[in-house]
Amino acid sequence: MNVEDDVLSPGARSSLLFQVIPHVWGAAFAAHLEHGRDAAVARADAAVAALEQLRRSPPPALETIAAKSGQDISEHDFRGWYRICDGLRKGPIEAALNPATEQEIEDAYRAYGRAKGDFF
């Protein structure tokens, strides 16, 4: 998945992943059909099981997404990025009623700083 997929609200992310299940199954089946029908079905089922696990898992924390990007983000830029992504993830109503606090953003920036080295 790319960064945009990770930032989506959990509901939107789950919905998008659910929509691709038949396509993933079909592609995996077709890719392994040369090994026989049973093997192709087993591989297709395994691919869908992995996708289901991803669909049900919570999206990564925003600071983890930033750290995985490999970008060196200033605190000022991180604050703006975090607010936007938090709003996208929450949706317009929840974001308006419950915006990210300054403390949440500061904590996230510190976590981003600690995690940057984990992805190089």
Side-chain angles (χ1 to χ4, degrees):
M1 291 180 59
N2 60 32
V3 171
E4 293 81 10
D5 295 334
D6 291 337
V7 173
L8 290 172
S9 70
R13 181 175 174 265
S14 178
S15 176
L16 286 173
L17 290 171
F18 181 76
Q19 292 174 34
V20 301
I21 286 174
H23 305 287
V24 168
W25 194 95
F29 178 82
H32 296 93
L33 194 53
E34 66 189 33
H35 302 291
R37 185 181 184 288
D38 290 342
V41 168
R43 292 290 182 110
D45 288 346
V48 167
L51 186 60
E52 280 292 337
Q53 183 178 4
L54 179 64
R55 188 171 84 88
R56 289 191 175 102
S57 67
L62 295 175
E63 56 271 22
T64 302
I65 296 168
K68 286 170 93 173
S69 76
Q71 301 295 312
D72 190 25
I73 306 170
S74 71
E75 186 172 359
H76 174 74
D77 290 343
F78 183 89
R79 287 178 173 282
W81 175 84
Y82 189 92
R83 283 189 178 98
I84 290 169
C85 291
D86 183 64
L88 288 170
R89 191 171 270 184
K90 288 178 178 175
I93 294 171
E94 186 181 347
L97 296 174
N98 186 25
T101 66
E102 289 299 315
Q103 187 62 51
E104 288 173 327
I105 297 170
E106 287 175 22
D107 292 346
Y109 186 73
R110 280 195 294 277
Y112 154 74
R114 288 189 304 269
K116 283 192 304 186
D118 294 345
F119 300 102
F120 290 103

